[in-house]
Amino acid sequence: MTSRAHAARETAATAADAAAPAGRPSPSDLLARLRSGHGDGARRALATADPAARAEVIAALDSCVLRDPRAVPATESRSLYYARLYDRLGAGLDALAAHLICDEDWTDEDADRTALPLAVLGTLARAGRADAVALLRRYAAEGRDWTLAVEHLARAADPAALSGMLALALERGEDDELYDCVRRGTGMRPWRVWGFQDARMRAIVEQVDLDWWRWELARGKSAAGQDTAPADGPQVPPRMQPTVDQVLSEAAASPRRSFVCGRRLASVATAEHRALILAAAWSGAAGARVAALRYLGDLGDPALLDLAENALGDESPAVVRQAAVQAVGGLRTREAVGRARDWLGAGKDGALGDVAVRILAGAGGPADGPVLIAALQRCRHDHRGDRRFALGDLVDGVGRLGLVDAVEPVRDVYLGSPCAGLRGRAVDTLARIEPAFGGTTAVECLWDCEAGTRRIAVDRADLAVDGVLERFRELARDPSEDEGVRSAVRRRLAAL
């Protein structure tokens, strides 16, 4: 989108917000709630009766699905949330079809462009929407990510959804592509079932299983110190474990892999390597320092307290400072709490002050409550990626200590966070400190995108509030709902 188009869009949104009747949520506010998967956004959307306003809601829904709003798609749920809205609003799928079936599908290689639309269609197909099945079948025949569409069709409610798909897969897929589909598949359908129906697919399935067996056997022999492989297969030498020096050197040469290298250190380092890793954390290259800090943070090594004063008090690179914040902020020992109080007592601010507050949030006592509340008040509206860790720790700390005076800033996090995971942590804390939680926040959260948040809401929602009992019954009979949520609903309904 060009800057001129973006400015025009912002101006239009501002004008629409100003024109929204009093008491009715502004279009941009509703869009923000829908993008974050907020339960209140779903409730407002479903309560929209005016045809023109409903058309705006559906347009907002389309925009959320076509431009995945999640910062890290693997960590947040959205497909069931959006699919339910499509179904309950009676929304058509024309916008999804235009997005998927087009020339750009073949020129834009970003996997996030199609993953969420196809997942929403798959959820609708499992719920019995025939138009979703038809669009998935069309995309399987014409689209770039056709294998993903086929896998969604395999879980559709219509048993005829896969009709003719085996022939299409054999026509469209090269053996290598079909091999990858079988290898990453988690069940029998569709690829392994097709192995019983077609010789070419059966050969691919058998090759996947054979390669998996050889890999397991080679790994077992490597662990036993042997260097032979199955006589009827290729010789697979045991994988040599890298040394600590090699891992640190790799991190130094490729800082983008330093975080992964920190995790790899755990598999090769022993107590005798501590001095080497500490030296890298103090004065190594930036990537090596990040890897060492990650490793020491996972261990909760007390040396991190001195390292923090070094890394956060000098001109260390930004990536090193960020790694130090994450590693030291996770310490929960008595020594760490004492040092954190000393830092704050000495007037330390900036990154070192933030780390101190995070330590107190995780392991401090009631006396640290005013410090935590003040810190939460300062950063409650700052939802940048590098600040969500601190916000999450502060919200958790408030809940752990039962700080009822922090209800307002925690509610601000709950209402304003674009991250569903952070919102879920705020909900867990509000359940402990908000007096009217069962009749307010818990009710909204029955429509949240995250199953864990819905579960908290089910346990605490006031059944006397209008619409709650009906929502419980919807969740109980919805086969797409998380089983933990459904079980909790059934327990509460049975108690009636």
Side-chain angles (χ1 to χ4, degrees), residues 173-368:
E174 300 291 339
D175 283 2
D176 288 347
E177 187 174 17
L178 296 177
Y179 179 96
D180 288 338
C181 291
V182 176
R183 182 174 55 83
R184 71 168 183 261
T186 57
M188 288 294 291
R189 301 188 73 194
W191 313 104
R192 290 183 174 274
V193 169
W194 287 342
F196 295 108
Q197 303 171 12
D198 177 81
R200 178 184 165 202
M201 189 65 74
R202 180 166 60 252
I204 292 170
V205 171
E206 290 174 349
Q207 187 63 50
V208 170
D209 291 341
L210 182 61
D211 289 347
W212 177 86
W213 173 76
R214 286 173 173 163
W215 179 80
E216 284 288 324
L217 187 60
R219 187 174 66 164
K221 288 181 178 294
S222 174
Q226 303 176 33
D227 60 0
T228 58
D232 59 344
Q235 297 295 307
V236 182
R239 296 175 61 186
M240 299 298 294
Q241 282 277 42
T243 65
V244 170
D245 278 328
Q246 288 172 335
V247 175
L248 291 173
S249 296
E250 180 183 349
S254 180
R256 295 183 63 178
R257 288 186 49 79
S258 56
F259 194 73
V260 175
C261 290
R263 188 163 47 198
R264 288 175 59 198
L265 280 174
S267 65
V268 297
T270 64
E272 66 184 25
H273 296 110
R274 182 173 182 268
L276 174 62
I277 294 173
L278 282 174
W282 276 100
S283 58
R289 292 181 72 184
V290 170
L293 287 166
R294 164 70 193 271
Y295 169 78
L296 295 169
D298 288 344
L299 290 182
D301 194 299
L304 283 168
L305 295 170
D306 292 330
L307 281 166
E309 295 182 353
N310 173 60
L312 300 178
D314 62 10
E315 299 301 320
S316 297
V319 291
V320 175
R321 296 170 65 85
Q322 184 176 0
V325 166
Q326 294 304 315
V328 185
L331 294 176
R332 298 293 180 262
T333 63
R334 181 177 300 179
E335 182 183 0
V337 171
R339 187 76 70 92
R341 289 171 177 160
D342 290 344
W343 288 335
L344 293 174
K348 300 290 185 181
D349 54 11
L352 196 58
D354 290 344
V355 166
V357 170
R358 290 183 62 192
I359 292 173
L360 296 180
D368 300 307

Side-chain angles (χ1 to χ4, degrees), residues 144-187:
R144 181 197 61 184
D145 295 324
W146 66 275
T147 60
L148 186 56
V150 169
E151 289 168 3
H152 284 303
L153 285 168
R155 297 188 290 272
D158 183 0
L162 282 175
S163 176
M165 287 293 111
L166 171 56
L168 182 143
L170 294 172
E171 178 184 349
R172 292 204 63 180
E174 300 291 339
D175 283 2
D176 288 347
E177 187 174 17
L178 296 177
Y179 179 96
D180 288 338
C181 291
V182 176
R183 182 174 55 83
R184 71 168 183 261
T186 57

Side-chain angles (χ1 to χ4, degrees), residues 375-383 391 408-410 412-413 416:
L376 185 58
Q377 290 277 15
R378 289 194 301 271
C379 67
R380 56 181 164 170
H381 298 300
D382 188 352
H383 298 286
L391 266 178
E408 180 184 347
V410 175
D412 284 342
V413 175

Side-chain angles (χ1 to χ4, degrees), residues 16-17 20-30 33 40 44-45 48 56:
D17 289 354
R24 172 181 159 188
S26 66
S28 65
D29 180 52
L30 178 59
R33 299 291 174 88
D40 184 52
R44 290 179 179 183
T48 305
E56 291 179 359

Side-chain angles (χ1 to χ4, degrees), residues 357 368-378 394 398 403-406 409:
V357 170
D368 300 307
V371 172
L372 302 184
I373 295 175
L376 185 58
Q377 290 277 15
R378 289 194 301 271
L394 285 170
V398 165
L403 304 177
V404 295
D405 291 342

Side-chain angles (χ1 to χ4, degrees), residues 4-20:
R4 182 177 299 176
H6 180 76
R9 184 174 174 181
E10 292 295 321
T11 301
T14 302
D17 289 354

